[in-house]
Amino acid sequence: MSDRTTAADMQTRVLDIRTGHREQVHDLTAQCAQFLRDVSRGRDGLLNVFVPHATAGIAVLETGAGSDDDLLAALRDLLPADDRWHHRHGSPGHGRDHVLPALVPPHATLPVIAGELALGTWQSVTLVDTNRDNPERTVRLSFLG
């Protein structure tokens, strides 16, 4: 993890996330909140969460009550891991992982009020990774305030 100031009013932190070799919805909410405690100084602004990978996305959804598993099941229905995909390197069905960011975008920009993430009661910020071939992910958090 590293912090960097990129402009007078923007702070950035890079997170290294290990997702393993299975499909996963990884909750980033606590790490986002910690980042904001460290850099926001209680200011209002925007938090941008970005995953610079061609086979992962960022989603805001409820976790822990089954919605994360439901999302993965829906993605399996929409993007089956079979041989229909033109993009064919990697494990069988890997081409679907390259279509994922069209459905689950690689970024989210979220409001920050008084230094805290302004999420709804049950909302969490998550990394969605269906690519079993790449267990290491990078997530960039940027606060503009």
PDB file of all heavy atoms in Angstrom, residues 46-71:
ATOM      1  N   LEU A  46     -15.110  13.909  -3.239  1.00  0.00           N
ATOM      2  CA  LEU A  46     -15.458  12.704  -3.997  1.00  0.00           C
ATOM      3  C   LEU A  46     -14.369  11.661  -3.811  1.00  0.00           C
ATOM      4  O   LEU A  46     -13.174  11.982  -3.808  1.00  0.00           O
ATOM      5  CB  LEU A  46     -15.581  13.022  -5.492  1.00  0.00           C
ATOM      6  CG  LEU A  46     -16.702  13.967  -5.893  1.00  0.00           C
ATOM      7  CD1 LEU A  46     -16.560  14.352  -7.369  1.00  0.00           C
ATOM      8  CD2 LEU A  46     -18.061  13.332  -5.630  1.00  0.00           C
ATOM      9  N   LEU A  47     -14.797  10.417  -3.678  1.00  0.00           N
ATOM     10  CA  LEU A  47     -13.880   9.282  -3.661  1.00  0.00           C
ATOM     11  C   LEU A  47     -14.065   8.535  -4.968  1.00  0.00           C
ATOM     12  O   LEU A  47     -15.169   8.105  -5.296  1.00  0.00           O
ATOM     13  CB  LEU A  47     -14.170   8.340  -2.491  1.00  0.00           C
ATOM     14  CG  LEU A  47     -13.314   7.061  -2.483  1.00  0.00           C
ATOM     15  CD1 LEU A  47     -11.844   7.391  -2.222  1.00  0.00           C
ATOM     16  CD2 LEU A  47     -13.841   6.068  -1.473  1.00  0.00           C
ATOM     17  N   ASN A  48     -12.980   8.398  -5.707  1.00  0.00           N
ATOM     18  CA  ASN A  48     -12.998   7.572  -6.907  1.00  0.00           C
ATOM     19  C   ASN A  48     -12.287   6.271  -6.582  1.00  0.00           C
ATOM     20  O   ASN A  48     -11.203   6.277  -6.006  1.00  0.00           O
ATOM     21  CB  ASN A  48     -12.315   8.273  -8.081  1.00  0.00           C
ATOM     22  CG  ASN A  48     -12.390   7.425  -9.333  1.00  0.00           C
ATOM     23  OD1 ASN A  48     -11.471   6.693  -9.662  1.00  0.00           O
ATOM     24  ND2 ASN A  48     -13.506   7.513 -10.029  1.00  0.00           N
ATOM     25  N   VAL A  49     -12.928   5.158  -6.923  1.00  0.00           N
ATOM     26  CA  VAL A  49     -12.368   3.821  -6.730  1.00  0.00           C
ATOM     27  C   VAL A  49     -12.206   3.235  -8.127  1.00  0.00           C
ATOM     28  O   VAL A  49     -13.172   3.167  -8.890  1.00  0.00           O
ATOM     29  CB  VAL A  49     -13.302   2.944  -5.865  1.00  0.00           C
ATOM     30  CG1 VAL A  49     -12.675   1.587  -5.603  1.00  0.00           C
ATOM     31  CG2 VAL A  49     -13.668   3.652  -4.565  1.00  0.00           C
ATOM     32  N   PHE A  50     -10.977   2.820  -8.458  1.00  0.00           N
ATOM     33  CA  PHE A  50     -10.683   2.359  -9.813  1.00  0.00           C
ATOM     34  C   PHE A  50      -9.826   1.097  -9.762  1.00  0.00           C
ATOM     35  O   PHE A  50      -8.857   1.032  -8.996  1.00  0.00           O
ATOM     36  CB  PHE A  50      -9.940   3.449 -10.591  1.00  0.00           C
ATOM     37  CG  PHE A  50      -9.523   3.045 -11.969  1.00  0.00           C
ATOM     38  CD1 PHE A  50     -10.457   2.889 -12.979  1.00  0.00           C
ATOM     39  CD2 PHE A  50      -8.192   2.821 -12.269  1.00  0.00           C
ATOM     40  CE1 PHE A  50     -10.079   2.501 -14.259  1.00  0.00           C
ATOM     41  CE2 PHE A  50      -7.799   2.436 -13.539  1.00  0.00           C
ATOM     42  CZ  PHE A  50      -8.742   2.283 -14.543  1.00  0.00           C
ATOM     43  N   VAL A  51     -10.185   0.098 -10.551  1.00  0.00           N
ATOM     44  CA  VAL A  51      -9.387  -1.117 -10.665  1.00  0.00           C
ATOM     45  C   VAL A  51      -8.807  -1.153 -12.084  1.00  0.00           C
ATOM     46  O   VAL A  51      -9.550  -1.248 -13.058  1.00  0.00           O
ATOM     47  CB  VAL A  51     -10.206  -2.394 -10.324  1.00  0.00           C
ATOM     48  CG1 VAL A  51     -11.443  -2.540 -11.168  1.00  0.00           C
ATOM     49  CG2 VAL A  51      -9.342  -3.630 -10.402  1.00  0.00           C
ATOM     50  N   PRO A  52      -7.467  -1.021 -12.214  1.00  0.00           N
ATOM     51  CA  PRO A  52      -6.844  -0.958 -13.532  1.00  0.00           C
ATOM     52  C   PRO A  52      -6.565  -2.344 -14.119  1.00  0.00           C
ATOM     53  O   PRO A  52      -5.421  -2.695 -14.419  1.00  0.00           O
ATOM     54  CB  PRO A  52      -5.540  -0.187 -13.259  1.00  0.00           C
ATOM     55  CG  PRO A  52      -5.181  -0.588 -11.870  1.00  0.00           C
ATOM     56  CD  PRO A  52      -6.501  -0.760 -11.143  1.00  0.00           C
ATOM     57  N   HIS A  53      -7.610  -3.119 -14.246  1.00  0.00           N
ATOM     58  CA  HIS A  53      -7.486  -4.464 -14.812  1.00  0.00           C
ATOM     59  C   HIS A  53      -8.609  -4.655 -15.829  1.00  0.00           C
ATOM     60  O   HIS A  53      -9.717  -4.167 -15.638  1.00  0.00           O
ATOM     61  CB  HIS A  53      -7.602  -5.535 -13.720  1.00  0.00           C
ATOM     62  CG  HIS A  53      -6.520  -5.461 -12.698  1.00  0.00           C
ATOM     63  ND1 HIS A  53      -5.252  -5.947 -12.922  1.00  0.00           N
ATOM     64  CD2 HIS A  53      -6.514  -4.930 -11.451  1.00  0.00           C
ATOM     65  CE1 HIS A  53      -4.502  -5.727 -11.850  1.00  0.00           C
ATOM     66  NE2 HIS A  53      -5.246  -5.119 -10.945  1.00  0.00           N
ATOM     67  N   ALA A  54      -8.339  -5.397 -16.878  1.00  0.00           N
ATOM     68  CA  ALA A  54      -9.316  -5.620 -17.949  1.00  0.00           C
ATOM     69  C   ALA A  54     -10.344  -6.681 -17.594  1.00  0.00           C
ATOM     70  O   ALA A  54     -11.246  -6.953 -18.386  1.00  0.00           O
ATOM     71  CB  ALA A  54      -8.589  -6.017 -19.232  1.00  0.00           C
ATOM     72  N   THR A  55     -10.230  -7.290 -16.413  1.00  0.00           N
ATOM     73  CA  THR A  55     -11.116  -8.406 -16.069  1.00  0.00           C
ATOM     74  C   THR A  55     -11.683  -8.281 -14.658  1.00  0.00           C
ATOM     75  O   THR A  55     -11.938  -9.288 -13.999  1.00  0.00           O
ATOM     76  CB  THR A  55     -10.366  -9.741 -16.201  1.00  0.00           C
ATOM     77  OG1 THR A  55      -9.221  -9.717 -15.336  1.00  0.00           O
ATOM     78  CG2 THR A  55      -9.931 -10.001 -17.635  1.00  0.00           C
ATOM     79  N   ALA A  56     -11.899  -7.060 -14.170  1.00  0.00           N
ATOM     80  CA  ALA A  56     -12.468  -6.858 -12.835  1.00  0.00           C
ATOM     81  C   ALA A  56     -13.295  -5.581 -12.852  1.00  0.00           C
ATOM     82  O   ALA A  56     -13.161  -4.752 -13.756  1.00  0.00           O
ATOM     83  CB  ALA A  56     -11.358  -6.770 -11.787  1.00  0.00           C
ATOM     84  N   GLY A  57     -14.141  -5.422 -11.852  1.00  0.00           N
ATOM     85  CA  GLY A  57     -14.984  -4.243 -11.771  1.00  0.00           C
ATOM     86  C   GLY A  57     -15.209  -3.801 -10.337  1.00  0.00           C
ATOM     87  O   GLY A  57     -14.831  -4.503  -9.392  1.00  0.00           O
ATOM     88  N   ILE A  58     -15.833  -2.646 -10.185  1.00  0.00           N
ATOM     89  CA  ILE A  58     -16.190  -2.086  -8.891  1.00  0.00           C
ATOM     90  C   ILE A  58     -17.714  -1.991  -8.844  1.00  0.00           C
ATOM     91  O   ILE A  58     -18.341  -1.464  -9.764  1.00  0.00           O
ATOM     92  CB  ILE A  58     -15.571  -0.677  -8.699  1.00  0.00           C
ATOM     93  CG1 ILE A  58     -14.049  -0.724  -8.805  1.00  0.00           C
ATOM     94  CG2 ILE A  58     -16.038  -0.063  -7.385  1.00  0.00           C
ATOM     95  CD1 ILE A  58     -13.353  -1.519  -7.703  1.00  0.00           C
ATOM     96  N   ALA A  59     -18.307  -2.500  -7.761  1.00  0.00           N
ATOM     97  CA  ALA A  59     -19.758  -2.443  -7.605  1.00  0.00           C
ATOM     98  C   ALA A  59     -20.101  -1.928  -6.208  1.00  0.00           C
ATOM     99  O   ALA A  59     -19.376  -2.191  -5.253  1.00  0.00           O
ATOM    100  CB  ALA A  59     -20.386  -3.819  -7.809  1.00  0.00           C
ATOM    101  N   VAL A  60     -21.206  -1.210  -6.130  1.00  0.00           N
ATOM    102  CA  VAL A  60     -21.753  -0.783  -4.844  1.00  0.00           C
ATOM    103  C   VAL A  60     -22.999  -1.631  -4.628  1.00  0.00           C
ATOM    104  O   VAL A  60     -23.951  -1.556  -5.411  1.00  0.00           O
ATOM    105  CB  VAL A  60     -22.086   0.725  -4.851  1.00  0.00           C
ATOM    106  CG1 VAL A  60     -22.741   1.138  -3.543  1.00  0.00           C
ATOM    107  CG2 VAL A  60     -20.825   1.545  -5.112  1.00  0.00           C
ATOM    108  N   LEU A  61     -22.968  -2.464  -3.601  1.00  0.00           N
ATOM    109  CA  LEU A  61     -24.102  -3.340  -3.314  1.00  0.00           C
ATOM    110  C   LEU A  61     -24.054  -3.805  -1.870  1.00  0.00           C
ATOM    111  O   LEU A  61     -23.061  -3.608  -1.178  1.00  0.00           O
ATOM    112  CB  LEU A  61     -24.120  -4.554  -4.257  1.00  0.00           C
ATOM    113  CG  LEU A  61     -23.109  -5.668  -4.010  1.00  0.00           C
ATOM    114  CD1 LEU A  61     -23.666  -6.963  -4.570  1.00  0.00           C
ATOM    115  CD2 LEU A  61     -21.795  -5.373  -4.666  1.00  0.00           C
ATOM    116  N   GLU A  62     -25.130  -4.406  -1.434  1.00  0.00           N
ATOM    117  CA  GLU A  62     -25.194  -4.992  -0.100  1.00  0.00           C
ATOM    118  C   GLU A  62     -24.340  -6.258  -0.087  1.00  0.00           C
ATOM    119  O   GLU A  62     -24.361  -7.049  -1.028  1.00  0.00           O
ATOM    120  CB  GLU A  62     -26.640  -5.347   0.232  1.00  0.00           C
ATOM    121  CG  GLU A  62     -26.811  -5.959   1.595  1.00  0.00           C
ATOM    122  CD  GLU A  62     -28.266  -6.302   1.900  1.00  0.00           C
ATOM    123  OE1 GLU A  62     -29.124  -6.187   0.992  1.00  0.00           O
ATOM    124  OE2 GLU A  62     -28.535  -6.675   3.043  1.00  0.00           O
ATOM    125  N   THR A  63     -23.592  -6.443   0.994  1.00  0.00           N
ATOM    126  CA  THR A  63     -22.800  -7.663   1.144  1.00  0.00           C
ATOM    127  C   THR A  63     -23.211  -8.375   2.425  1.00  0.00           C
ATOM    128  O   THR A  63     -23.828  -7.780   3.308  1.00  0.00           O
ATOM    129  CB  THR A  63     -21.286  -7.359   1.202  1.00  0.00           C
ATOM    130  OG1 THR A  63     -21.034  -6.505   2.308  1.00  0.00           O
ATOM    131  CG2 THR A  63     -20.797  -6.719  -0.074  1.00  0.00           C
ATOM    132  N   GLY A  64     -22.889  -9.643   2.513  1.00  0.00           N
ATOM    133  CA  GLY A  64     -23.130 -10.398   3.732  1.00  0.00           C
ATOM    134  C   GLY A  64     -24.528 -10.963   3.888  1.00  0.00           C
ATOM    135  O   GLY A  64     -24.755 -11.796   4.747  1.00  0.00           O
ATOM    136  N   ALA A  65     -25.468 -10.534   3.060  1.00  0.00           N
ATOM    137  CA  ALA A  65     -26.833 -11.051   3.152  1.00  0.00           C
ATOM    138  C   ALA A  65     -27.185 -11.896   1.927  1.00  0.00           C
ATOM    139  O   ALA A  65     -28.344 -12.177   1.682  1.00  0.00           O
ATOM    140  CB  ALA A  65     -27.831  -9.901   3.302  1.00  0.00           C
ATOM    141  N   GLY A  66     -26.160 -12.251   1.159  1.00  0.00           N
ATOM    142  CA  GLY A  66     -26.383 -13.087  -0.014  1.00  0.00           C
ATOM    143  C   GLY A  66     -26.330 -12.351  -1.333  1.00  0.00           C
ATOM    144  O   GLY A  66     -26.252 -12.984  -2.392  1.00  0.00           O
ATOM    145  N   SER A  67     -26.386 -11.020  -1.313  1.00  0.00           N
ATOM    146  CA  SER A  67     -26.374 -10.272  -2.573  1.00  0.00           C
ATOM    147  C   SER A  67     -25.073 -10.437  -3.327  1.00  0.00           C
ATOM    148  O   SER A  67     -25.069 -10.455  -4.559  1.00  0.00           O
ATOM    149  CB  SER A  67     -26.620  -8.781  -2.306  1.00  0.00           C
ATOM    150  OG  SER A  67     -27.893  -8.588  -1.756  1.00  0.00           O
ATOM    151  N   ASP A  68     -23.964 -10.572  -2.608  1.00  0.00           N
ATOM    152  CA  ASP A  68     -22.681 -10.771  -3.279  1.00  0.00           C
ATOM    153  C   ASP A  68     -22.675 -12.114  -4.016  1.00  0.00           C
ATOM    154  O   ASP A  68     -22.245 -12.199  -5.167  1.00  0.00           O
ATOM    155  CB  ASP A  68     -21.496 -10.630  -2.330  1.00  0.00           C
ATOM    156  CG  ASP A  68     -21.736 -11.163  -0.933  1.00  0.00           C
ATOM    157  OD1 ASP A  68     -22.861 -11.636  -0.620  1.00  0.00           O
ATOM    158  OD2 ASP A  68     -20.800 -11.116  -0.124  1.00  0.00           O
ATOM    159  N   ASP A  69     -23.194 -13.157  -3.381  1.00  0.00           N
ATOM    160  CA  ASP A  69     -23.310 -14.459  -4.052  1.00  0.00           C
ATOM    161  C   ASP A  69     -24.309 -14.404  -5.198  1.00  0.00           C
ATOM    162  O   ASP A  69     -24.105 -15.028  -6.246  1.00  0.00           O
ATOM    163  CB  ASP A  69     -23.724 -15.544  -3.063  1.00  0.00           C
ATOM    164  CG  ASP A  69     -22.639 -15.847  -2.039  1.00  0.00           C
ATOM    165  OD1 ASP A  69     -21.443 -15.695  -2.375  1.00  0.00           O
ATOM    166  OD2 ASP A  69     -22.986 -16.231  -0.911  1.00  0.00           O
ATOM    167  N   ASP A  70     -25.410 -13.647  -5.007  1.00  0.00           N
ATOM    168  CA  ASP A  70     -26.398 -13.481  -6.080  1.00  0.00           C
ATOM    169  C   ASP A  70     -25.790 -12.784  -7.289  1.00  0.00           C
ATOM    170  O   ASP A  70     -26.080 -13.152  -8.435  1.00  0.00           O
ATOM    171  CB  ASP A  70     -27.607 -12.684  -5.583  1.00  0.00           C
ATOM    172  CG  ASP A  70     -28.459 -13.447  -4.592  1.00  0.00           C
ATOM    173  OD1 ASP A  70     -28.349 -14.694  -4.523  1.00  0.00           O
ATOM    174  OD2 ASP A  70     -29.237 -12.796  -3.866  1.00  0.00           O
ATOM    175  N   LEU A  71     -24.937 -11.788  -7.050  1.00  0.00           N
ATOM    176  CA  LEU A  71     -24.275 -11.105  -8.159  1.00  0.00           C
ATOM    177  C   LEU A  71     -23.401 -12.081  -8.940  1.00  0.00           C
ATOM    178  O   LEU A  71     -23.455 -12.128 -10.172  1.00  0.00           O
ATOM    179  CB  LEU A  71     -23.438  -9.925  -7.662  1.00  0.00           C
ATOM    180  CG  LEU A  71     -22.581  -9.237  -8.722  1.00  0.00           C
ATOM    181  CD1 LEU A  71     -23.425  -8.682  -9.861  1.00  0.00           C
ATOM    182  CD2 LEU A  71     -21.726  -8.152  -8.096  1.00  0.00           C
TER     183      LEU A  71
END
